[in-house]
Amino acid sequence: MAIDPQHWQPTASINSLRKRAAIMAQIRSFFAERDVLEVEMPLMSQCAVSDPFLDTIEARYADYVGSENYPLYLQTSPEYAMKRLLAAGSGAIFHLGKAFRNGESGSRRHNPEFTMLEWYRPGLDDQQLMDEVADLILPILKLDSVERLSYAQVFKRFLNIDPHTATLEVLVAETRKHVDIDLDDDDRDTWLNLLMSHVIEPNLSDLGAVFVYDYPASQAALAQVKTDAQSQQVASRFELFVDGIELANGYHELTDAQEQKQRLLKDQQTREKLGLPQRPLEMRLVSALEAGIPDCAGVALGVDRLVMLALGADSIQDVIAFPIERA
């Protein structure tokens, strides 16, 4: 394949890279002031993420344990390894480094190699962690406040439906009002996700910065499930959107080892159903939970998007020196 001789140049200006470095230093200072330990997690692992909607990039390491082409996986998040550290008694920790997701390219918000900030705070729940996320991002983005709306509130505001009680038929009909799609699926979350991504998220751009919290229990991922004030089972998790761009995803973390195991196995079953690769599950996480991790909340934040928003850039390519097209 011929390479354009001009593609040696970075896509981000040197001035933008200086501002990016200043934001990275600001992040580290924020956690140093709070006595949160910086840790470095492995970028490759023997196990892969279980989430059916995330695709892992596979590598090969011929010399590992004397086996040719032993598969390793570039990590989509440092989450599993960080939780193993929590179980080992690390206390509050943060990781600022690279993560990888297959297929994450082709738009102004994605690159398969990206910078992720992830941190865990023992003793906090998801509501309290939202306070800390706001304390971090408001000065960087020069914002005054962040609005908080429950998942049910945003559905009622923009679609006038209750996402927890609406029937599958109602969700399908509502989706087809807004999205031209030929799909036959009996999973309510499929239609909720389509409404969220195609209708609600674009409208969130008018709200500036907003936390959406208390997602349906079926979307708990690695979060605890609780009963809300309306007696609905909801996931103790939140997402942060700024100008309609998803910036962070946080949980009141699941600590039940058997529940964690069941969720990993369910993910694997879903992957099989969808014809996705069957990769080794991180059962060491289950062992860590069995040993005991503190009650805590954790959040992952996309640093490239944060810098893009802070600099008023149109694309993360404007704040990354060498995105995949020039790597």
Side-chain angles (χ1 to χ4, degrees), residues 28 39 72 166 200 207 210 213-214 233 254 262 281 298:
R28 286 191 162 95
V39 295
L72 293 171
I200 293 172
L207 302 181
V210 57
Y213 63 93
D214 283 0
Q233 291 286 101
L254 180 67
Q262 290 305 312
L281 295 174

Side-chain angles (χ1 to χ4, degrees), residues 66-247:
S67 174
E68 292 186 3
N69 293 324
Y70 192 90
L72 293 171
Y73 304 93
L74 295 177
Q75 293 299 279
T76 60
S77 160
E79 178 173 7
Y80 294 162
M82 292 183 80
K83 287 180 176 177
R84 289 162 62 189
L85 271 187
L86 287 165
S90 65
I93 51 177
F94 81 97
H95 165 98
L96 180 57
K98 295 295 186 180
F100 305 85
R101 293 182 184 177
N102 203 13
E104 295 275 324
S105 61
S107 81
R108 68 186 185 93
R109 301 177 187 177
H110 296 92
N111 194 60
E113 177 185 329
F114 59 100
T115 301
M116 175 179 282
L117 168 65
E118 188 155 332
W119 76 96
Y120 292 86
R121 291 293 244 149
L124 299 188
D125 62 18
D126 53 311
Q127 295 292 324
Q128 293 166 315
L129 188 58
M130 279 191 268
D131 294 333
E132 187 163 75
V133 174
D135 289 342
L136 173 66
I137 64 105
L138 289 179
I140 293 173
L141 298 179
K142 296 180 172 56
L143 297 174
D144 295 324
S145 62
V146 185
E147 188 171 358
R148 297 190 187 197
L149 294 169
S150 71
Y151 189 90
Q153 286 174 323
V154 295
F155 267 79
K156 289 176 182 176
R157 176 182 293 195
F158 297 113
L159 293 168
N160 197 32
I161 61 175
D162 186 331
H164 299 302
T165 61
T167 64
L168 175 64
E169 291 72 21
V170 167
L171 295 176
V172 171
E174 190 65 33
T175 302
R176 288 183 170 148
K177 288 181 187 177
H178 303 278
V179 184
D180 184 13
I181 188 169
D182 182 16
L183 178 67
D184 183 17
D185 195 311
D186 60 2
D187 186 343
R188 292 179 77 259
D189 283 323
T190 297
W191 303 96
L192 287 171
N193 289 334
L194 283 167
L195 289 169
M196 187 72 181
S197 62
H198 286 72
V199 182
I200 293 172
E201 288 181 19
N203 279 291
L204 294 179
S205 62
D206 297 331
L207 302 181
V210 57
F211 286 114
V212 178
Y213 63 93
D214 283 0
Y215 279 65
S218 55
Q219 299 178 25
L222 302 185
Q224 295 186 25
V225 173
K226 65 182 180 183
T227 303
D228 69 8
Q230 287 70 47
S231 299
Q232 292 291 337
Q233 291 286 101
V234 295
S236 298
R237 55 170 290 207
F238 64 84
E239 292 190 14
L240 170 64
F241 298 87
V242 178
D243 295 340
I245 296 174
E246 181 188 344
L247 189 59

Side-chain angles (χ1 to χ4, degrees), residues 35-80:
D35 195 28
V36 179
L37 176 68
E38 181 171 6
V39 295
E40 293 182 283
M41 297 292 94
L43 299 183
M44 294 190 296
S45 174
Q46 301 167 50
C47 301
V49 66
S50 66
D51 190 328
F53 303 105
L54 295 178
D55 192 12
T56 306
I57 298 174
E58 185 172 321
R60 294 281 170 174
Y61 184 39
D63 294 333
Y64 185 71
V65 296
S67 174
E68 292 186 3
N69 293 324
Y70 192 90
L72 293 171
Y73 304 93
L74 295 177
Q75 293 299 279
T76 60
S77 160
E79 178 173 7
Y80 294 162

Side-chain angles (χ1 to χ4, degrees), residues 242-263:
V242 178
D243 295 340
I245 296 174
E246 181 188 344
L247 189 59
N249 190 358
Y251 302 151
H252 188 187
E253 300 293 342
L254 180 67
T255 57
D256 185 311
Q258 290 308 306
E259 176 64 22
Q260 177 66 76
K261 182 178 181 180
Q262 290 305 312
R263 292 189 193 182

